[in-house]
Amino acid sequence: MKFQIKYTILLGLCFMFSISSCDKEWVDTKPNGASTTAYFWDSEDDVIKGIASIYVPFRWESTWGRDLFWMQNASDDLVVGRSKADAENIKNFIPTGNEGYMATAFEDMYWMMNKANQAIEGVQGATNISEELRQRSLGEAYFVRAFAHFWAAYLWGHEDQGVPYDGVENEEFGDRIPPQLASVTDNYAQIISDLEKAAELLPLFQTYGAEDQGRAHKSAAWAYMVKTYAYWAQYDSSKWENVPDLADKIKNEGQRALVTGQESNEANYRAVFTDSQNWGPEYIWSVTSGIQGGSEFPGVILENKGWGIFNGWGYFQPTEELYQEYEENDPRREVTILKFGDKFTYFGVEREYYSTNSLSGFQINKYMDPYSYGTDEDAGTNSKINQNGNYPTTALNLSLIRYAEILLFKAEALIQMGQAAQAAEPLNEVRARVGLSPIATPTMDDLKHERRVELACEWTDRLADLKRWGDVDVINAPLHGRIHENKTDPSSSYTVEEVWPARSFDPARHMAWPLSSNEISRSNGIYKQTPGW
């Protein structure tokens, strides 16, 4: 199914764009960075179409539709859901690196970098285009190259061995296999360089008209600089110094802000995950989605078979540990997690949640709003979902980074720099949005808690947080769920039981994921396996 979805979308875009570079050669996934002469950047129309093509992988199942999330699923917040050996190997830290979820996602990151390299080269040499279009297009290409590079680096990069990288600016580009950098910190330095270029060239999001929403913009570049510095800081704490000013630029120049002003504290938070806020003040970067394409993640987390109405896939189920992390009066808990007996609207009908599928007795609730529309439990009456249950995209964009995370990174930076009193402002801004009392002098434990409950079940990577904080005991603890006596009865009694046994995360081995043996062999042995694997 993955192959069919990915290439159906790509071929559709090729037809729409009518560009020769969308032939089979354009789908090369090897991280070899070879340039292409198949596409001619001769006009503004050529440039617009060429730049549009570098965004194609955002809609693939193998990227931000599902597969990159399997590695985030290895945290303490979630369990696999349905029986799936490759996913269970990842969850248990025993993968080979050849699992399709890993290997294909790695290839896709290099597909994006390769096409961004081609775009940078093409746009720089393009004729008959305005300088405004040239700058924006270059900014988009630098952003996408950095974005894909970031995902490859933080997932597969190690302090003692980075991931492959080459840029079209390098003299040997196209004539060599891209070198495997000495350390992931070298990857981070290159990512920051590209994001700085992108931020300089790109316009602010608020200057875009509706037709350009979804393109890279300054705040998105600044935001991924923040995240890159935060991840880099686990090896060099001085990198935290860069974060507060960038966060302030996102707020002041980028005009990003939390969604507030709704009828209740719960409504403030719930609104963030509705399509009416796809481009709202909290938006920074998302997978642009719709009923004809985008991220299928909302359908991936929906109850398997969707209670007989729509084809949910039933993966990524929250744990009892996550549920218990919330303060009792925190409205984010019910917005984030469905438990037996919780009321929710599904195709126009109020229901009480139950699950014959969930291993933990819970379901992610954040992405359920598109399924509340329609009438009489008839999927065909819902205009906010793709009627194809094998590609269950919705009108809701999939957020990858939003302003609340920037506030929490700012708070973390200030705490790490010994300025805990100043960290209270950004951290309490997040808490105040949902009506929680302020914390006068937040600690790292406060920050860890707030980051977990604010961003739970999102594409922010709880596992990466636990790794960089050194919280090995948290990673390895057994995970629990609610085992209900009658799985078809919302009011059924339950017992809390272990649903995932303790694991053996080893910082000497598991700080980065293993490379596929195919990547190593394709490099003629130049690439070395991730240290420890």
Side-chain angles (χ1 to χ4, degrees):
M1 180 171 59
K2 175 162 55 184
F3 180 90
Q4 181 180 13
I5 288 172
K6 180 188 298 185
Y7 293 105
T8 298
I9 296 168
L10 182 59
L11 290 172
L13 283 168
C14 293
F15 176 79
M16 182 170 65
F17 295 153
S18 300
I19 55 177
S20 60
S21 53
C22 269
D23 60 15
K24 189 173 182 180
E25 295 298 317
W26 184 252
V27 190
D28 168 40
T29 58
K30 297 178 184 179
N32 56 22
S35 187
T36 181
T37 56
Y39 182 71
F40 298 96
W41 304 78
D42 287 341
S43 68
E44 293 202 349
D45 188 54
D46 289 341
V47 169
I48 291 168
K49 291 172 180 175
I51 291 298
S53 67
I54 68 177
Y55 292 103
V56 170
F58 282 97
R59 297 175 166 226
W60 290 348
E61 180 180 316
S62 54
T63 57
W64 295 279
R66 180 183 64 172
D67 290 3
L68 280 167
F69 204 77
W70 287 117
M71 287 169 275
Q72 302 185 50
N73 182 67
S75 80
D76 56 336
D77 281 356
L78 300 160
V79 294
V80 170
R82 295 162 57 190
S83 178
K84 200 170 253 311
D86 283 358
E88 292 167 14
N89 288 345
I90 295 170
K91 177 75 176 175
N92 290 325
F93 303 112
I94 56 171
T96 64
N98 294 323
E99 289 80 5
Y101 300 140
M102 280 187 167
T104 304
F106 182 88
E107 291 177 351
D108 290 343
M109 297 307 98
Y110 285 90
W111 192 103
M112 294 179 77
M113 281 188 263
N114 191 21
K115 303 317 163 189
N117 271 319
Q118 294 176 27
I120 291 166
E121 181 181 51
V123 172
Q124 285 175 334
T127 56
N128 303 316
I129 69 170
S130 69
E131 192 58 28
E132 180 182 5
L133 178 60
R134 189 189 310 278
Q135 290 197 20
R136 188 192 76 187
S137 299
L138 280 173
E140 291 178 84
Y142 281 122
F143 175 82
V144 169
R145 185 170 75 173
F147 179 84
H149 190 182
F150 170 79
W151 280 78
Y154 98 80
L155 288 170
W156 287 277
H158 191 279
E159 183 179 15
D160 297 326
Q161 181 176 286
V163 295
Y165 173 78
D166 209 355
V168 70
E169 304 88 348
N170 299 329
E171 288 186 6
E172 296 178 81
F173 179 82
D175 296 325
R176 64 175 178 180
I177 294 173
Q180 192 170 24
L181 303 191
S183 171
V184 70
T185 61
D186 297 314
N187 294 108
Y188 289 152
Q190 176 60 48
I191 292 162
I192 290 293
S193 176
D194 275 357
L195 290 171
E196 287 175 337
K197 292 175 185 175
E200 182 179 349
L201 293 164
L202 287 167
L204 292 162
F205 172 73
Q206 58 267 31
T207 68
Y208 279 149
E211 71 279 3
D212 289 319
Q213 290 175 336
R215 293 186 183 278
H217 54 93
K218 282 188 188 296
S219 290
W222 291 330
Y224 278 97
M225 288 174 68
V226 166
K227 193 154 191 171
T228 302
Y229 279 129
Y231 282 22
W232 194 351
Q234 67 186 298
Y235 310 113
D236 178 357
S237 62
S238 71
K239 299 305 174 187
W240 284 119
E241 298 170 5
N242 300 292
V243 168
D245 286 347
L246 283 165
D248 290 345
K249 287 169 73 74
I250 293 167
K251 175 182 179 179
N252 297 324
E253 295 180 47
Q255 298 179 18
R256 301 294 87 200
L258 298 181
V259 173
T260 58
Q262 307 299 309
E263 64 271 18
S264 67
N265 296 322
E266 180 179 346
N268 281 338
Y269 191 66
R270 192 176 295 277
V272 176
F273 308 101
T274 61
D275 66 288
S276 65
Q277 290 294 332
N278 277 348
W279 312 111
E282 199 155 340
Y283 160 79
I284 293 181
W285 191 245
S286 302
V287 178
T288 304
S289 299
I291 62 171
Q292 295 300 321
S295 174
E296 64 201 13
F297 194 69
V300 171
I301 58 90
L302 179 65
E303 168 77 4
N304 188 28
K305 308 299 183 185
W307 299 284
I309 300 169
F310 187 77
N311 185 30
W313 296 9
Y315 294 120
F316 307 125
Q317 293 154 1
T319 60
E320 178 75 8
E321 282 74 16
L322 174 60
Y323 187 85
Q324 293 299 334
E325 179 71 18
Y326 290 86
E327 297 160 68
E328 192 60 37
N329 60 336
D330 189 342
R332 292 173 294 189
R333 183 177 63 185
E334 274 60 48
V335 175
T336 302
I337 301 172
L338 278 173
K339 67 180 183 301
F340 270 54
D342 282 351
K343 290 182 169 57
F344 68 106
T345 302
Y346 189 64
F347 292 95
V349 176
E350 186 176 80
R351 301 172 64 102
E352 289 184 78
Y353 175 75
Y354 68 86
S355 174
T356 58
N357 165 68
S358 177
L359 296 182
S360 67
F362 298 109
Q363 181 187 298
I364 299 172
N365 192 30
K366 276 186 173 176
Y367 310 98
M368 286 289 286
D369 182 72
Y371 298 107
S372 66
Y373 299 91
T375 57
D376 300 325
E377 301 184 341
D378 180 0
T381 65
N382 189 331
S383 63
K384 293 194 182 251
I385 64 169
N386 190 336
Q387 296 297 318
N388 178 3
N390 289 323
Y391 185 36
T393 65
T394 73
L396 177 64
N397 287 350
L398 180 73
S399 176
L400 299 179
I401 194 167
R402 56 187 176 89
Y403 183 62
E405 186 172 13
I406 299 304
L407 287 172
L408 293 174
F409 274 133
K410 181 181 178 181
E412 185 175 356
L414 292 168
I415 293 170
Q416 294 283 9
M417 292 190 295
Q419 301 173 36
Q422 292 91 323
E425 181 180 356
L427 185 137
N428 288 328
E429 186 175 346
V430 174
R431 290 176 60 82
R433 190 246 295 267
V434 292
L436 296 177
S437 58
I439 299 171
T441 308
T443 65
M444 273 301 297
D445 284 343
D446 294 322
L447 183 283
K448 291 176 182 181
H449 164 81
E450 204 60 39
R451 188 168 170 83
R452 186 181 191 185
V453 296
E454 172 68 26
L455 304 172
C457 307
E458 298 183 44
W459 286 69
T460 52
D461 208 329
R462 161 79 173 166
L463 178 64
D465 287 342
L466 294 174
K467 286 181 178 182
R468 64 190 180 87
W469 294 330
D471 290 343
V472 175
D473 290 345
V474 177
I475 298 173
N476 282 332
L479 303 174
H480 297 80
R482 299 182 176 186
I483 307 305
H484 288 262
E485 185 178 12
N486 183 347
K487 293 191 174 184
T488 63
D489 179 2
S491 61
S492 172
S493 61
Y494 68 88
T495 56
V496 174
E497 299 180 19
E498 182 179 298
V499 295
W500 209 273
R503 296 171 293 162
S504 299
F505 177 89
D506 180 358
R509 183 179 190 189
H510 299 135
M511 290 301 287
W513 296 102
L515 293 178
S516 164
S517 60
N518 293 329
E519 293 297 339
I520 295 171
S521 62
R522 277 199 309 205
S523 75
N524 298 321
I526 292 175
Y527 296 161
K528 305 303 180 186
Q529 184 54 274
T530 307
W533 291 95

